Amino acid sequence: MPLTLKLKFNLVFGALFAVALVVAGGVVYRLVLRNAQAEVVHDAQRMMDVSLAVRDYTVTHIKPHLDPLLDRHFLPETVPAFAATETLSRLAKSQPGYGYKEATLNPTNPRNAAIDWEREVVARFRADTGLREQTGRVDTDAGGFFYVARPIQIRNAACLACHSTPDAAPVSLLNKYGREHGFGWQLNEIVGAQVVSVPTRLAYDKAHEVVQAFLGTLAAVFMLLFVALNVLLQRWVVAPVRAVAHAANRVSQGELGLPEFAEGRKDEIGSLQRSFNRMRRSLVKAMDLLRR
């Protein structure tokens, strides 16, 4: 297949588009991923604010009314951590992938026990009591997570009623959880961390979705440009050049009676057509002179 002018143009145009697609796709992906990660962390911080509001409401409005009943029945609804965890678990149903945990070093409820990376987060809070929030990424056997964490610090002495010593705790609590865990807490001690975790795949999924839409739109625009440019190239360049070449071939074979090309175009193709017309006229005059 001969390497025609149109084919050369299409090859160059296709190569430039491929380069532009790779470069633009890479830049857009990084920007979109960064934005998606920031959005995920922001959503986690909003969930954290919800948990703080639930804890505060429980301590202020729920616990005082239920505490007198603890001697007969243990009511987990009086525990701020329980209220926040249960509320956020329901909220997580409308926010798939988001998780909330009150990761505690020595919890009463075993489900709140901190795992390895959570203990490291708590350790950083204990080492720097002025640190009020941590955000980051952690990779676990279950996958990668972005997390937002805030310290759980015993600022209210009323919390120690259930966590100072087993003898001071309600009997109903001891009957449910035993005497081995959740005691020995001190006022102002950081005993754990509130942790909102989000799988990293959520951010990557959002980034992939946006980038795929962007690349699809870019490819569609390219196809439209490709078709439009090929139509214009065929009409304005390829067809006129072929016509001149065909006419020149016929003139070279002695057909001097060809009609002239229109001379209305002011571009390079028009200049080529005018030059061909002058050449044909000169050749006709030369042949007439030779016949005479």
Side-chain angles (χ1 to χ4, degrees), residues 40-93:
V40 164
V41 171
H42 178 68
D43 290 343
Q45 289 172 327
R46 291 175 61 187
M47 292 186 69
M48 183 70 74
D49 292 336
V50 171
S51 73
L52 292 174
V54 172
R55 287 175 62 93
D56 181 67
Y57 182 84
T58 301
V59 171
T60 305
H61 297 282
I62 304 298
K63 187 176 175 60
H65 298 288
L66 297 182
D67 276 349
L69 303 177
L70 291 180
D71 290 338
R72 290 174 293 169
H73 304 286
F74 177 72
L75 301 172
E77 291 77 12
T78 63
V79 182
F82 177 87
T85 301
E86 292 298 314
T87 301
L88 269 294
S89 67
R90 285 163 173 74
L91 179 60
K93 293 178 181 179

Side-chain angles (χ1 to χ4, degrees), residues 108-223:
T108 302
N109 191 335
R111 76 173 180 178
N112 295 330
I115 59 178
D116 290 342
W117 71 269
E118 293 168 342
R119 283 195 290 269
E120 294 177 0
V121 171
V122 176
R124 286 193 289 270
F125 281 128
R126 292 166 70 95
D128 182 3
T129 55
L131 183 62
R132 306 316 304 163
E133 182 175 279
Q134 295 183 50
T135 60
R137 172 179 173 170
V138 61
D139 292 315
T140 68
D141 294 337
F145 292 89
F146 295 112
Y147 69 87
V148 176
R150 293 178 184 173
I152 300 174
Q153 188 171 16
I154 307 304
R155 297 181 179 275
N156 189 342
C159 296
L160 297 179
C162 295
H163 297 286
S164 58
T165 64
D167 294 335
V171 176
S172 59
L173 182 146
L174 298 178
N175 292 337
K176 184 174 182 63
Y177 293 111
R179 306 169 61 91
E180 289 77 22
H181 304 288
F183 301 105
W185 294 10
Q186 303 293 325
L187 189 64
N188 295 321
E189 179 186 11
I190 295 176
V191 297
Q194 296 172 275
V195 180
V196 176
S197 58
V198 189
T200 55
R201 61 175 175 79
L202 289 184
Y204 288 114
D205 288 346
K206 288 183 179 181
H208 289 155
E209 183 179 350
V210 173
V211 171
Q212 286 174 359
F214 169 77
L215 294 181
T217 303
L218 189 62
V221 171
F222 164 76
M223 291 305 300

Side-chain angles (χ1 to χ4, degrees), residues 225-243:
L225 288 176
F226 181 81
V227 171
L229 289 175
N230 270 271
V231 170
L232 296 177
L233 181 66
Q234 178 68 28
R235 180 177 179 181
W236 290 349
V237 179
V238 176
V241 169
R242 284 179 177 173

Side-chain angles (χ1 to χ4, degrees), residues 246-262:
H246 181 65
N249 185 55
R250 293 175 63 185
V251 168
S252 69
Q253 295 175 0
E255 297 183 38
L256 301 181
L258 299 177
E260 291 189 349
F261 291 104

Side-chain angles (χ1 to χ4, degrees), residues 236-237 264-274:
W236 290 349
V237 179
R265 294 183 61 165
K266 303 301 182 183
D267 55 13
E268 290 81 357
I269 298 298
S271 177
L272 175 64
Q273 292 171 336
R274 289 190 294 272

